[in-house]
Amino acid sequence: MTDLNCAEVLVQSLVEAGVKRMFGYPGDPTIELMEQARRRGIDVVLARREGTAAFMAEGEAALTGSIGVVFSTLGPGSTALVNGVAAANLDRIPMLAISGQIESGSEQFFTHQVVDHKLLFSSITKWAGRIEPKSVGTVMRKALRLAVAERPGAVHLTCPNDVLSTTAVDAEISPVPMDQDRSATIVVNRSSSGVAPAALLAGSRRPVVLAGISATRGEATSSMIAFAETVGAPIVVAPMAKGVFPESHPLFAGVSDVACNTVVKEFLDGADLIIAVGFDPVELVKPWRYRAPVLHIDSTPNLDQVYAAPCEVLGDISAILDWLASSWRGQPRWLESEVAAHRSSLRAAYYAGRAEGRLNPSDVVDLVQSSLPASTVATTDVGSHKFLVAQGWLAERPRSVLMSNGLSAMGFGLPAAIAAAMTVPDRQVVALIGDGGFAMTATELRLAAGMGLPLICVVFSDGSLNRIELKQMALGYPSTATRLEEMDLLALAEGLSCDGVRVETPGELEKALESLGTLTRPVVIEARIDPGQYLAQF
Ligand SMILES: Cc1ncc(C[n+]2csc(CCOP(=O)(O)OP(=O)(O)O)c2C)c(N)n1
Ligand SMILES: [Mg+2]
């Protein structure tokens, strides 16, 4: 027995796991939790609602690779958390979500504000557990270990009101590994028809790598560059993995399943071997359509079976790529000039539908990127604009472009950018978001303004839930429930203690970006785009 209460054990476990900050929204049952966090130096950040708090925790974790923590009260607090928790789970971001609950003695029969958290969160987390005095230390180890273990995701913990201030019986706090296992042990699994990975690779004339978020988590960038150059294999990356392979590299061959997807699909169709390097099928928008055999390289087996792979190579992704590159005896399979031709058709497709004299979405992406430092962190939301940002923003380093592309949840972009600006104050952060997603989350700017965060929030303002409106148009349907009423974003920005500027032409945007100077609070750039370019794109 010790004299630590359960909240102290919970919070001390977070401290041992390196947690510096938690986002959330309070209620009676979280008071003890927030106080213990404050006492141990964890920054307790008040978002304007639980869902955005969860996106902040997700954004922070996506940027750093460590666990994000979010908390809510019982009932309406926990139900409001759902979207952000599900996003972290499907976006494969480690998250610990904690909700208060009514006194443990009343939980089974009392009804006011009571929902069954185990049932609610089980389908959107890796595990939904509860804090109890007899197991709190162990449950915290399990929650943290499970959230960060491959594939990472969300874990939810219920904390009954009386339990947090009750003395813990299981009060042992033993730190758990919070990183991926980087041991170089490589396991090869083959089906009855599968050949060895090196032989599969050697037999291929047109291999193409499809890299995904597990490669980002495996910090595989330098091994991937060496592998690509040795084998002469071009690399397509999945959207959330942007930057895992530098996009200025001559062997970079585009981003999958976003704008220009027919060009990328044709390129992958031309492969005689697809080397899936940490590719997570959660980013696949349509069923797997490629006929080439797949060599599966990942930290986890091909358990989804979205594609068939007769050969799986499992372990640390960098070590696997190094091993395959070192056993390579052939000539490089692709000439850089062949990849260059593909890269220029990709670029041409990205500019398709661009109209001179208008403010096109691709102008916004290009002008914003060229005005900001190379170290900038960009976030994006969900909608037509994301498809262009994901293909057009040139990412040079991992974790520099953050988005939700597993759950693909609108409302991620702005809160994630706010959390990023808190986490890396030495880097510029820009949110590139739609007016629909902005309307969902704009009030979070008051928090960012209060902290003096020099955040740039670029709103692709088209008065439309364009991604959906386009689909209505394609079916010949009128725009029903997809038009947004006119909103004065400058007045809104001012009311939230932010700066604001409205631009309607590329020239105005350029000037606005040039005159930003040193920011002491967020600025909203209302970019009145002509959405016509989207029509040519999708
Ligand atoms: C939370 C949530 N609700 C609805 C959707 C479906 N959806 C996908 S894109 C989109 C439109 C987004 O509009 P906006 O933010 O203005 O971006 P735009 O498409 O106009 O660039 C909608 C409604 C979603 N992905 N997430
Ligand atoms: Mg819009």
Side-chain angles (χ1 to χ4, degrees):
M1 286 286 270
T2 67
D3 52 4
L4 293 182
N5 71 26
C6 288
E8 290 174 293
V9 174
L10 188 163
V11 166
Q12 193 56 36
S13 303
L14 297 180
V15 170
E16 297 291 342
V19 172
K20 303 268 185 297
R21 190 179 285 123
M22 54 202 262
F23 302 89
Y25 206 90
D28 284 357
T30 63
I31 291 173
E32 184 66 16
L33 173 69
M34 295 188 296
E35 173 58 12
Q36 294 304 339
R38 184 195 67 79
R39 287 190 196 173
R40 279 171 180 70
I42 292 183
D43 196 7
V44 183
V45 180
L46 172 64
R48 299 301 111 114
R49 59 185 291 266
E50 294 83 355
T52 35
F55 285 137
M56 288 177 193
E58 183 185 355
E60 180 193 57
L63 178 61
T64 60
S66 43
I67 192 162
V69 180
V70 63
F71 67 91
S72 79
T73 190
L74 77 169
S78 54
T79 50
L81 267 184
V82 163
N83 218 27
V85 172
N89 208 44
L90 278 196
D91 296 343
R92 318 301 194 199
I93 300 296
M95 172 186 281
L96 180 60
I98 303 165
S99 296
Q101 184 55 293
I102 195 152
E103 280 75 17
S104 44
S106 311
E107 211 180 330
Q108 296 198 79
F109 62 85
F110 206 69
T111 45
H112 179 69
Q113 287 200 312
V114 176
V115 294
D116 185 330
H117 289 161
K118 182 99 183 160
L119 282 177
L120 178 66
F121 286 99
S122 286
S123 73
I124 53 164
T125 55
K126 295 175 79 175
W127 181 54
R130 57 187 291 117
I131 295 295
E132 289 171 359
K134 285 187 177 166
S135 55
V136 53
T138 307
V139 162
M140 283 307 294
R141 286 205 318 275
K142 174 169 171 171
L144 291 163
R145 188 70 193 99
L146 200 53
V148 298
E150 286 291 299
R151 291 169 172 150
V155 166
H156 183 268
L157 290 178
T158 289
C159 302
N161 204 1
D162 51 322
V163 166
L164 281 179
S165 39
T166 302
T167 302
V169 179
D170 171 18
E172 196 186 321
I173 298 153
S174 313
V176 291
M178 295 299 286
D179 289 326
Q180 209 184 127
D181 178 8
R182 306 303 302 270
S183 84
T185 310
I186 294 171
V187 174
V188 178
N189 295 334
R190 282 192 271 161
S191 74
S192 52
S193 65
V195 292
L200 196 58
L201 192 58
S204 158
R205 289 289 163 269
R206 306 301 268 175
V208 177
V209 172
L210 179 57
I213 39 178
S214 169
T216 303
R217 295 194 300 271
E219 296 172 5
T221 297
S222 50
S223 299
M224 213 184 300
I225 294 171
F227 176 85
E229 290 174 353
T230 306
V231 176
I235 299 208
V236 172
V237 308
M240 285 195 289
K242 267 182 85 68
V244 71
F245 190 78
E247 298 189 11
S248 60
H249 194 287
L251 289 169
F252 174 71
V255 177
S256 58
D257 275 331
V258 288
C260 322
N261 70 80
T262 44
V263 180
V264 176
K265 179 182 178 297
E266 270 166 31
F267 189 72
L268 282 161
D269 277 341
D272 64 359
L273 175 69
I274 293 180
I275 309 167
V277 177
F279 174 74
D280 191 322
V282 77
E283 294 212 68
L284 210 55
V285 174
K286 294 189 177 135
W288 186 261
R289 298 164 291 171
Y290 309 109
R291 281 180 304 273
V294 178
L295 174 58
H296 175 96
I297 295 174
D298 207 341
S299 54
T300 48
N302 181 22
L303 296 179
D304 294 307
Q305 289 297 324
V306 166
Y307 52 76
C311 182
E312 302 174 350
V313 193
L314 309 178
D316 177 62
I317 292 176
S318 301
I320 296 169
L321 293 174
D322 293 347
W323 172 60
L324 286 174
S326 68
S327 61
W328 177 258
R329 299 284 171 268
Q331 290 299 309
R333 294 305 194 217
W334 289 72
L335 299 175
E336 279 187 7
S337 58
E338 295 170 307
V339 185
H342 162 71
R343 284 164 61 86
S344 31
S345 23
L346 197 60
R347 225 46 209 165
Y350 168 66
Y351 291 116
R354 190 179 166 277
E356 212 49 58
R358 311 254 177 84
L359 184 56
N360 303 278
S362 66
D363 299 334
V364 178
V365 178
D366 294 358
L367 289 171
V368 171
Q369 176 154 40
S370 61
S371 77
L372 297 180
S375 60
T376 296
V377 176
T379 71
T380 187
D381 212 72
V382 176
S384 297
H385 64 284
K386 171 172 113 174
F387 280 51
L388 275 197
V389 172
Q391 194 64 266
W393 186 275
L394 301 175
E396 288 299 304
R397 43 162 135 165
R399 300 185 189 278
S400 60
V401 181
L402 312 178
M403 68 182 81
S404 171
N405 200 46
L407 187 67
S408 282
M410 283 175 72
F412 168 84
L414 180 56
I418 292 172
M422 289 178 204
T423 309
V424 287
D426 52 328
R427 290 166 71 182
Q428 180 62 56
V429 178
V430 62
L432 299 153
I433 63 181
D435 44 2
F438 180 71
M440 283 180 167
T441 55
T443 51
E444 293 297 349
L445 280 170
R446 187 63 190 85
L447 165 69
M451 297 179 87
L453 299 177
L455 172 74
I456 302 173
C457 176
V458 181
V459 182
F460 288 64
S461 189
D462 54 9
S464 162
L465 303 179
N466 184 270
R467 184 92 194 108
I468 309 302
E469 193 183 19
L470 277 186
K471 292 186 178 172
Q472 289 175 324
M473 285 163 70
L475 292 166
Y477 295 170
S479 302
T480 305
T482 45
R483 300 295 303 170
L484 295 164
E485 296 81 3
E486 179 83 19
M487 224 186 344
D488 184 344
L489 299 196
L490 305 196
L492 185 61
E494 196 190 334
L496 295 166
S497 304
C498 298
D499 292 315
V501 50
R502 177 176 298 131
V503 297
E504 301 192 30
T505 64
E508 284 175 16
L509 176 57
E510 238 178 315
K511 215 156 94 210
L513 289 163
E514 268 166 25
S515 51
L516 283 182
T518 307
L519 296 173
T520 53
R521 58 184 193 169
V523 58
V524 176
I525 300 182
E526 178 186 343
R528 295 235 166 178
I529 55 156
D530 179 343
Q533 187 181 15
Y534 294 140
L535 205 57
Q537 294 272 342
F538 318 126

